[in-house]
Amino acid sequence: VQLQASGGGLVQPGGSLRLSCARSGGIFGINDIGWFRRVPGKERELVALITSGGSSRYADFVKGRFTISRDNAQNTLYLQMNNLSPEDTAVYYCNVYPPPSYNDPAFWGQGTLVTVSS
């Protein structure tokens, strides 16, 4: 099962981006799935997750700014990011929740880089 994130890029502070995560293999709808990020020099952390039933949960640092959603028919996960700040600069990843490991790269896709800068 592979999950590949895309949609990152360079955006100015206060701007928006929408990330996508496509899953190949497996049955998309049966897992809780999350967005994670790794800020340079820090550990990978959970940003938001959405359950198989559609309930969502957010890290405090993105509440009110980010929205997670999923389209099970399209095997796709989304993260709408609004009011971005330089502190949101990171590589963003998607994975099942909880992930098998936060640190072992064998369990993570390539990620997508989000850079927030003027």
Side-chain angles (χ1 to χ4, degrees):
V1 175
Q2 297 288 329
L3 294 102
Q4 295 296 332
S6 62
L10 174 64
V11 62
Q12 292 187 340
S16 298
L17 275 177
R18 189 193 197 202
L19 305 183
S20 299
C21 171
R23 176 169 177 164
S24 61
I27 303 174
F28 188 79
I30 66 172
N31 293 111
D32 297 351
I33 298 183
W35 284 100
F36 305 78
R37 73 185 188 186
R38 173 169 274 164
V39 176
K42 294 188 177 181
E43 297 284 312
R44 188 179 281 119
E45 60 188 350
L46 176 69
V47 174
L49 72 91
I50 187 165
T51 69
S52 57
S55 299
S56 56
R57 193 174 89 201
Y58 298 90
D60 286 343
F61 52 79
V62 303
K63 277 182 181 176
R65 300 188 299 125
F66 292 10
T67 302
I68 190 171
S69 61
R70 65 192 294 169
D71 184 338
N72 291 337
Q74 298 295 324
N75 277 5
T76 305
L77 177 73
Y78 300 100
L79 185 69
Q80 177 66 43
M81 306 187 296
N82 298 328
N83 195 21
L84 286 159
S85 72
E87 290 71 32
D88 295 315
T89 294
V91 179
Y92 286 73
Y93 304 85
C94 51
N95 209 336
V96 297
Y97 183 83
S101 167
Y102 272 83
N103 297 317
D104 189 339
F107 294 104
W108 294 90
Q110 204 167 14
T112 187
L113 176 62
V114 172
T115 303
V116 185
S117 175
S118 54

